[in-house]
Amino acid sequence: MISFYPGPSKVHEEIPEYVKYAYRKGILSINHRSAEFMRICERTVALLKEKLDIPQDYKIFFTGSATECWEIIAQSVVSKRSYHIYNGAFGQKWYEYSNRIRSGARQFPFDREELPNVNKYKFGSGDGVICVTHNETSNGTQLPEEFIRDLKDNNPNHLLAVDATSSMAGVALNFELADIWFASVQKCFGLPAGLAVLVCSPKAMEVVEKINDRNFYNSLPFMNDMMEKWQTPFTPNVLNIYLLMRVLENSKPIALVDEKIRKRYRKWVKYFEGKQTLNHLIRNKAAHSFTVLPIAASEAAITKLKRDAKEKGFLLGEGYGDLKSTTFRIANFPALKKKEIEKLKNFLDTY
Ligand SMILES: *Cc1c(COP(=O)(O)O)cnc(C)c1O
């Protein structure tokens, strides 16, 4: 079975070998206070910065999921207000999680066919946290880099937090443009679920220190104290951190990965432009995600296609929420091989 699911997604094919190696070397049982773990943690952070082009003065933390990052931000970074600009299910969930923890969350939904107009989002001189989803996995849209840049310029006193769960490690991100970025690893990183990476700018860390929330096991000031020693407050997902290190060691610099992903995206778009029965869900190309393709068709066609795909050995992503019966999604993640994409196209040719 080849998985084109946009998360959890196909893992890099070297993973079984790395797991076996980790088992043989006793890494599966190392103590998270040991020098050995600290070396792995330090090296993984260094590799993330090197391969993804993250500024050296940004801090990196390991959490269990992107959902946990939503909660950590609400607890440790938001003092009162958060502003959620979104067009899909993940952005909306982030708003809901934040609002349960800090009731001062505000939501600004926009249409998935539209690029949001940045001049609508001027939040005054307060010190809130603006929350955006870089790549909305549920409907296959993404925000342009200029939007993120202008949003920050329009709101210099606020922090900007970006959910990049289905784009980090797939496309090049300009980390300088925002204060907080995060992603779980079961999407573009091509790793098994159960780990996420949280990236914070020096300015974000200043705010974290000022608020100094220490009420929770995952309060950021605690995490920061422990990370000074390349440790975490709790026993982390040591295996997955190790696997992340090994995968990054073999990864090309993000600029090259980005090029490959964009090229494949353009080929997919061309492919669907040539088809009658299957269409990209989003008509506005400027809003297209490079890493997740949502494909729309009639309900009857989708039902048949999903069933046939399974029989032929392809796992396609379900449509999300109210799009479930009329769409499916295709991941365009780095771990997928050219050959596998060709096979899927051959299968889709019959539709
Ligand atoms: C998958 C996803 C999440 C949730 O990730 P978890 O690791 O399951 O918490 C959040 N945001 C976006 C954009 C996602 O694609």
Side-chain angles (χ1 to χ4, degrees):
M1 188 70 104
I2 309 168
S3 176
F4 284 87
Y5 220 103
S9 51
K10 188 195 169 220
V11 297
H12 288 284
E13 47 188 32
E14 297 84 3
I15 296 292
E17 191 191 312
Y18 296 156
V19 174
K20 267 192 220 158
Y21 183 87
Y23 175 70
R24 278 204 308 274
K25 294 285 174 178
I27 291 164
L28 299 186
S29 315
I30 57 172
N31 191 290
H32 58 296
R33 306 284 171 235
S34 66
E36 201 178 358
F37 172 75
M38 288 155 66
R39 270 198 307 274
I40 291 172
C41 186
E42 182 177 6
R43 178 153 171 75
T44 309
V45 168
L47 282 163
L48 281 165
K49 288 185 177 175
E50 180 198 328
K51 296 292 171 94
L52 301 185
D53 241 338
I54 298 172
Q56 286 301 331
D57 58 354
Y58 277 42
K59 294 268 181 158
I60 294 181
F61 302 100
F62 295 116
T63 74
S65 65
T67 305
E68 188 186 345
C69 295
W70 292 341
E71 290 213 344
I72 289 174
I73 292 165
Q75 288 163 188
S76 295
V77 191
V78 177
S79 52
K80 206 165 129 212
R81 282 261 178 275
S82 58
Y83 305 91
H84 299 259
I85 303 166
Y86 65 83
N87 74 353
F90 284 107
Q92 183 180 354
K93 272 194 209 168
W94 186 0
Y95 158 74
E96 287 162 2
Y97 273 78
S98 292
N99 201 46
R100 280 197 287 270
I101 291 173
R102 297 254 180 266
S103 55
R106 295 282 180 272
Q107 54 179 330
F108 302 85
F110 61 95
D111 192 90
R112 65 173 183 247
E113 283 290 344
E114 127 196 14
L115 284 185
N117 174 358
V118 75
N119 294 321
K120 281 203 224 158
Y121 312 108
K122 290 188 175 153
F123 301 118
S125 60
D127 55 355
V129 181
I130 303 171
C131 302
V132 298
T133 306
H134 173 249
N135 196 77
E136 182 48 78
T137 323
S138 69
N139 59 25
T141 60
Q142 75 180 346
L143 291 171
E145 188 174 298
E146 308 84 72
F147 175 81
I148 293 178
R149 184 191 305 271
D150 295 345
L151 188 61
K152 183 77 185 156
D153 286 349
N154 279 351
N155 298 280
N157 295 318
H158 298 266
L159 290 181
L160 180 53
V162 185
D163 179 343
T165 298
S166 53
S167 49
M168 192 188 292
V171 300
L173 300 169
N174 187 346
F175 286 91
E176 298 276 2
L177 297 183
D179 302 289
I180 299 173
W181 299 80
F182 58 90
S184 38
V185 299
Q186 73 275 19
K187 313 246 165 120
C188 286
F189 282 97
L191 287 161
L195 177 70
V197 175
L198 173 63
V199 181
C200 297
S201 73
K203 193 175 155 208
M205 293 314 295
E206 267 175 40
V207 171
V208 165
E209 271 159 43
K210 208 170 90 201
I211 296 174
N212 202 26
D213 150 55
R214 288 178 181 268
N215 292 333
F216 305 97
Y217 79 98
N218 55 5
S219 291
L220 262 182
F222 272 156
M223 306 251 295
N224 193 34
D225 290 349
M226 297 307 286
M227 210 52 172
E228 296 285 318
K229 301 176 283 186
W230 308 111
Q231 293 183 19
T232 50
F234 45 86
T235 316
N237 190 337
V238 176
L239 171 60
N240 226 344
I241 294 172
Y242 172 77
L243 294 176
L244 175 58
M245 179 185 87
R246 296 292 304 265
V247 162
L248 286 169
E249 282 172 344
N250 274 334
S251 301
K252 299 214 163 77
I254 192 65
L256 295 179
V257 178
D258 179 278
E259 227 172 81
K260 175 174 98 173
I261 292 299
R262 283 176 197 238
K263 206 180 278 168
R264 287 179 173 181
Y265 154 77
R266 285 194 295 268
K267 283 192 183 162
W268 269 123
V269 168
K270 219 168 166 186
Y271 178 82
F272 285 110
E273 277 172 355
K275 291 197 78 72
Q276 303 286 327
T277 44
L278 304 172
N279 298 296
H280 198 294
L281 169 72
I282 307 295
R283 289 179 303 276
N284 180 3
K285 266 196 197 172
H288 278 187
S289 157
F290 297 140
T291 54
V292 179
L293 287 103
I295 306 303
S298 71
E299 204 167 328
I302 294 283
T303 310
K304 179 168 167 2
L305 190 146
K306 277 184 192 164
R307 202 183 44 230
D308 292 354
K310 212 178 251 170
E311 241 166 57
K312 293 271 169 17
F314 302 106
L315 182 63
L316 299 174
E318 290 284 347
Y320 212 93
D322 57 348
L323 297 169
K324 196 174 165 83
S325 59
T326 52
T327 62
F328 64 93
R329 291 174 300 157
I330 300 173
N332 180 26
F333 292 168
L336 282 155
K337 297 266 187 259
K338 200 172 168 184
K339 252 195 343 236
E340 296 169 327
I341 298 170
E342 289 312 315
K343 270 191 197 162
L344 179 59
K345 282 184 182 162
N346 287 343
F347 163 73
L348 292 174
D349 279 345
T350 58
Y351 282 85

